Amino acid sequence: MMKTPKIELIPAIDLIDGKCVRLTKGDYDRKTVYNEDPVAVARHFEMLGFRRLHVVDLDGARSRHVVNDGVLRAITDATSLTVDFGGGIKTQADIEKAFAAGAAMVTVGSMAVSQPDLLMGWLGQYGAHRIILGADVRNGKISINGWKEDSEEDLLPFLKKYVEHGVKNVLCTEISKDGTLEGPAISLYQHVMEAYPQLHLIASGGVSSTDDIFRLQEAGIPAVVFGKAFYEGRIETERLGLKSDEL
């Protein structure tokens, strides 16, 4: 078995109607259901040796409030995975609901654009270790509300004001890559790391293979989220120092 890579490996479970799905480029009309039992998927990730899980409430992102906290609770009850949860986090009540359901961290994206003072307050209240800044990018601009709207915020200036207020964890998704299996936007992530080398940057979108993960590691990216590539059998877990995924 190979030595586990230094890059943090974070498989993803995206939820619609309580099912494990993936979208292409965030398009709800381009949905693939991979498993109707996300708890079983989470247990499988844990069995393989993953320690972290990224859960996205796509119903929540569309509805603008947390919807799938019951599924989150079922996952955290059934596993010892460290789970970060995003999608529909708009209010303190949403954050409290996610934490009550077992999330170790929450990802906040849209509110960072629409109500920055509120997010600054959450950073102070909960600590930067429990808040992940979601920076979803399309055509260089931050996208919000389930990727249905593009803001006027450019990526680096958007990050700057939050880094100055203590943000340490950033989940950056290149929307044009997400769910496409076309390879990650490595140059984009390198650009971010050059500007803010202190960040724990989580690359998201486009991972198509185990080699992509190693390319991100070689580029100095601290962490990576992947979903579709795993579900379609493109991630060789043994090469990542994990158990074989052959059933």
Side-chain angles (χ1 to χ4, degrees):
M1 183 176 292
M2 292 183 64
K3 185 178 179 181
T4 303
K6 293 180 181 179
I7 190 170
E8 186 175 22
L9 305 169
I10 311 174
I13 291 178
D14 292 0
L15 299 169
I16 291 181
D17 297 329
K19 299 174 182 177
C20 181
V21 308
R22 291 298 290 176
L23 306 181
T24 299
K25 298 184 181 181
D27 187 344
Y28 284 78
D29 293 325
R30 300 171 69 186
K31 175 183 72 177
T32 302
V33 177
Y34 284 102
N35 196 301
E36 297 195 0
D37 186 353
V39 176
V41 175
R43 283 189 179 127
H44 184 60
F45 284 137
E46 186 173 41
M47 180 275 294
L48 290 172
F50 291 105
R51 297 179 181 177
R52 176 90 179 262
L53 180 65
H54 177 59
V55 175
V56 183
D57 184 354
L58 290 173
D59 293 311
R62 185 158 50 180
S63 302
R64 303 191 182 193
H65 62 86
V66 170
V67 173
N68 283 294
D69 54 303
V71 179
L72 171 62
R73 167 52 69 190
I75 289 172
T76 58
D77 281 348
T79 74
S80 59
L81 293 165
T82 298
V83 180
D84 69 81
F85 181 82
I89 303 286
K90 303 292 185 183
T91 65
Q92 186 168 340
D94 288 318
I95 290 183
E96 295 289 347
K97 187 179 287 188
F99 286 155
M105 294 162 277
V106 293
T107 300
V108 181
S110 300
M111 297 304 294
V113 173
S114 62
Q115 297 188 54
D117 290 343
L118 194 58
L119 178 54
M120 301 294 187
W122 291 343
L123 285 165
Q125 181 174 354
Y126 298 105
H129 65 291
R130 300 202 77 184
I131 304 291
I132 301 171
L133 176 63
D136 303 326
V137 184
R138 179 165 45 210
N139 299 322
K141 302 290 186 180
I142 299 296
S143 185
I144 60 175
N145 295 326
W147 300 351
K148 296 193 295 292
E149 304 171 35
D150 292 336
S151 74
E152 293 303 312
E153 296 264 12
D154 291 312
L155 177 59
L156 290 185
F158 171 76
L159 293 177
K160 183 176 187 291
K161 60 186 173 186
Y162 287 109
V163 169
E164 290 174 347
H165 280 81
V167 161
K168 302 181 186 307
N169 301 291
V170 173
L171 174 69
C172 186
T173 303
E174 170 50 74
I175 296 171
S176 69
K177 296 278 191 178
D178 194 66
T180 65
L181 301 174
E182 293 177 352
I186 293 176
S187 61
L188 173 69
Y189 306 130
Q190 286 179 311
H191 192 44
V192 172
M193 291 304 298
E194 286 167 5
Y196 306 110
Q198 71 271 42
L199 284 178
H200 188 72
L201 180 67
I202 307 166
S204 172
V207 171
S208 66
S209 65
T210 315
D211 287 339
D212 281 342
I213 293 173
F214 283 111
R215 277 192 283 270
L216 285 164
Q217 175 172 278
E218 289 165 7
I221 311 306
V224 58
V225 164
F226 48 87
K228 191 171 186 177
F230 179 88
Y231 297 120
E232 300 202 352
R234 293 167 172 254
I235 301 297
E236 302 157 283
T237 51
E238 284 185 299
R239 288 184 61 199
L240 298 174
L242 303 166
K243 293 181 181 178
S244 171
D245 193 36
E246 292 181 7
L247 300 177

